[in-house]
Amino acid sequence: MKRGKNKFDVIVIGSGSAGFSAAETAQARGAKVLVIESGDWGGECPNSACIPTKALLKSAKRYREVTKNLEDFGISAGSVGFSFANIMAEKNKIVDLITSHGQKIPRLAKEFGIQTVKGKAVFLDQNTIVVEKKKYTAKAFVIATGAIDFIPPIAGLTELGFISYKDIMKMKKLPKSIAIIGGGAVSCEFATFFSTFGVKVHILQLDPTILIREDVEIANLATHELMKNGVEVYVDTKTLSVEKYGRRKRVTFDEGKHQREHIIVDEVMVAAGKRANVSELKLENAKVKVDDRGRLKVTEDLQTSAKHIFTAGDVSGGFLFTHTARTEGAIAGNNVVNFLEKQKSRLKRDMRVVPRVTFTNPEVASVGITSDTAGMLKKEVLIGRFPIGALGRAVTERDRRGLVKIIVDKKTRKILGGHIIGERAGELIHEIAFAMEVDCRVDVLANMIHAYPSYSEAIAGAASSLE
């Protein structure tokens, strides 16, 4: 391929899990690749989302362990406290370790022969991008700009200010109380963190349950655990306004039939979902179509309405997970090169088996469809349940909370979904996911020997208890 300065085969916009995976894949197939990043190298996950959040949650878990149940193990300790400044400093160390102080992606790009540019990318035309007044052209593009927070239209919210998960990563001191608008994974994880360290947390969720994508039975158990930790959970709740109340904020909402309820808090966090981060790209100049909500129109091979432009990751409208973003990046990287080489073959994203984890206390993990979804699809199913508290391992750990639930097609006995709440849920779910991936019957899990005493026995227990 003929190449010149600032002329590339493929330009990838975004250096996160999706973007760098696309760039690496395209470069490995011989393409000259440029990666453009406007924010932190590596994207949100290692810098302000997945990794730092889990570091904070690990500090919270350790604090719970040494303050709440040491006596159950015959251990006593003196007064235990915490330093929020030190917790944040340790979180920063983890981020620096994962990102090599922000230099991991530039270093890898150099090793792979991928060029990089820092700055905001804007399409000038179908084949030209401008970054900091410099023009770069390419035959094809991959948009991997991720997603940004959806800010609900609540009176006074923008005027009085609010915080996001990114702001929490820079927080200097804990608020005494906080209202979190939204009840998804981000909301529940931060509710777990804040409540562990004595912050009064209120979750305001518009939907009938928190963790709306999870099985209702599991979501209700998660709600119960949050409330045990002091979190106030409001569901079927529409937040109406945020007003100044001295140095604090008054949040007004309708909870079901209860109208105009109020809470007074120090801070308001918004975690009400995400939308594609494309508004500043000037996609109209590239002839890329979006729908009336600003979402990209994307095929299953991740191609946009402009045939030479592909997408990957959160921006593409699928799952908002790092692990799916990485897979989509590889698909987009292959497909964009196939396009350049005029090959008709295309890889397609296959998201039938995507495990997910919410790092609450205890963890929530799932894969596949829920029992409610099975009902809506009019599938005849069998459901297996096993209480984690019945395990010898749970008894020895002095933590008997949790449930494993498996959804099985009644006729084929193939697994349609798995749902877990409990210790190590994020690890356990992968046994169910693997069984779904290889399309085996549930009886394989039921009959396989599982080590005793281990949490994995609950998988066999649920698989053996179908009704």
Side-chain angles (χ1 to χ4, degrees):
M1 300 179 184
K2 187 178 179 180
R3 300 157 178 165
K5 184 180 180 181
N6 291 353
K7 293 183 179 181
F8 299 87
D9 299 318
V10 179
I11 290 178
V12 178
I13 310 173
S15 70
S17 183
F20 199 74
S21 177
E24 185 180 357
T25 302
Q27 189 278 335
R29 292 192 54 190
K32 182 184 179 183
V33 179
L34 171 68
V35 174
I36 301 170
E37 175 59 65
S38 62
D40 294 322
W41 289 113
E44 290 187 348
C45 180
N47 291 289
S48 58
C50 322
I51 295 300
T53 302
K54 304 312 167 281
L56 293 177
L57 287 166
K58 183 63 176 182
S59 292
K61 183 175 183 179
R62 280 285 184 251
Y63 186 67
R64 287 193 302 271
E65 289 172 345
V66 299
T67 57
K68 293 192 175 180
N69 66 342
L70 281 181
E71 295 81 5
D72 293 342
F73 296 87
I75 299 170
S76 60
S79 177
V80 177
F82 68 90
S83 164
F84 184 66
N86 288 345
I87 289 171
M88 298 300 278
E90 290 299 318
K91 176 266 297 179
N92 293 337
K93 288 180 183 178
I94 297 298
V95 172
D96 286 342
L97 182 62
I98 293 290
T99 66
S100 298
H101 297 272
Q103 294 306 306
K104 181 177 180 179
I105 293 300
R107 174 175 54 79
L108 288 174
K110 186 176 181 179
E111 290 178 8
F112 297 152
I114 298 168
Q115 295 188 43
T116 59
V117 168
K118 196 70 179 290
K120 185 181 295 184
V122 176
F123 278 100
L124 188 63
D125 57 42
Q126 287 181 288
N127 293 97
T128 308
I129 273 181
V130 177
V131 182
E132 304 296 332
K133 298 182 180 180
K134 289 186 179 181
K135 294 180 182 179
Y136 302 86
T137 62
K139 300 171 185 176
F141 298 83
V142 176
I143 298 172
T145 47
I148 56 177
D149 285 338
F150 166 71
I151 309 304
I154 297 169
L157 180 63
T158 302
E159 293 80 358
L160 284 179
F162 58 88
I163 61 173
S164 69
Y165 63 96
K166 287 186 176 181
D167 298 311
I168 292 171
M169 295 305 154
K170 302 173 184 177
M171 191 175 275
K172 300 298 183 185
K173 66 177 183 177
L174 287 170
K176 291 183 179 179
S177 57
I178 187 169
I180 305 179
I181 299 173
V186 172
S187 168
C188 292
E189 287 185 355
F190 277 107
T192 299
F193 173 74
F194 281 127
S195 61
T196 297
F197 292 110
V199 178
K200 183 60 182 177
V201 180
H202 307 263
I203 292 178
L204 306 176
Q205 167 71 323
L206 185 62
D207 294 304
T209 68
I210 61 169
L211 300 174
I212 194 65
R213 290 187 176 181
E214 303 299 334
D215 188 273
V216 171
E217 186 175 8
I218 300 296
N220 287 338
L221 289 171
T223 301
H224 176 70
E225 293 299 332
L226 283 168
M227 293 176 70
K228 277 172 57 179
N229 210 40
V231 178
E232 296 285 346
V233 179
Y234 305 85
V235 296
D236 283 321
T237 295
K238 182 178 181 180
T239 305
L240 303 174
S241 65
V242 179
E243 302 167 285
K244 188 174 182 181
Y245 191 84
R247 294 184 177 181
R248 308 176 78 195
K249 297 174 182 179
R250 183 170 74 168
V251 181
T252 302
F253 55 91
D254 292 340
E255 182 192 12
K257 296 180 180 179
H258 302 286
Q259 305 293 303
R260 311 295 296 186
E261 298 285 315
H262 305 283
I263 53 175
I264 309 298
V265 294
D266 293 320
E267 193 54 88
V268 174
M269 176 186 181
V270 173
K274 298 274 193 174
R275 60 185 177 86
N277 182 22
V278 296
S279 61
E280 296 182 348
L281 291 175
K282 293 191 177 180
L283 292 175
E284 64 275 12
N285 294 340
K287 310 300 182 186
V288 176
K289 294 180 182 178
V290 296
D291 64 18
D292 55 3
R293 295 177 62 183
R295 297 175 299 190
L296 290 167
K297 296 182 178 180
V298 181
T299 63
E300 285 306 301
D301 58 4
L302 300 176
Q303 190 174 42
T304 70
S305 57
K307 302 301 182 185
H308 67 303
I309 299 179
F310 293 76
T311 72
D314 295 358
V315 74
S316 62
F319 289 112
L320 305 181
F321 304 134
T322 298
H323 42 294
T324 53
R326 186 184 304 112
T327 298
E328 288 188 1
I331 292 170
N334 270 300
N335 288 347
V336 75
V337 175
N338 285 350
F339 169 82
L340 292 174
E341 295 178 350
K342 295 181 170 51
Q343 296 183 28
K344 292 185 179 180
S345 63
R346 294 283 194 277
L347 298 176
K348 297 183 185 294
R349 57 181 172 183
D350 179 1
M351 298 295 165
R352 292 172 300 160
V353 182
V354 178
R356 57 183 181 267
V357 188
T358 302
F359 294 84
T360 45
N361 172 40
E363 293 176 357
V364 171
S366 59
V367 62
I369 67 173
T370 67
S371 52
D372 281 350
T373 301
M376 289 188 287
L377 295 174
K378 296 183 179 179
K379 290 183 175 290
E380 281 194 83
V381 298
L382 297 170
I383 298 177
R385 294 179 177 85
F386 193 87
I388 288 176
L391 297 174
R393 176 66 183 275
V395 175
T396 64
E397 293 283 338
R398 281 73 154 183
D399 186 354
R400 302 180 69 176
R401 300 170 299 166
L403 176 72
V404 174
K405 184 174 181 179
I406 297 179
I407 318 297
V408 176
D409 185 285
K410 186 175 182 179
K411 183 177 180 180
T412 66
R413 297 184 71 81
K414 301 291 180 65
I415 301 171
L416 303 175
H419 309 274
I420 306 173
I421 181 171
E423 186 72 15
R424 313 288 176 87
E427 313 304 326
L428 292 177
I429 196 65
H430 289 82
E431 182 176 341
I432 300 174
F434 180 74
M436 293 174 65
E437 183 70 26
V438 299
D439 203 31
C440 72
R441 289 161 59 93
V442 68
D443 309 277
V444 173
L445 293 185
N447 296 329
M448 190 182 90
I449 297 173
H450 290 72
Y452 177 86
S454 69
Y455 285 113
S456 62
E457 290 179 278
I459 303 294
S464 303
S465 307
L466 301 176
E467 295 180 346

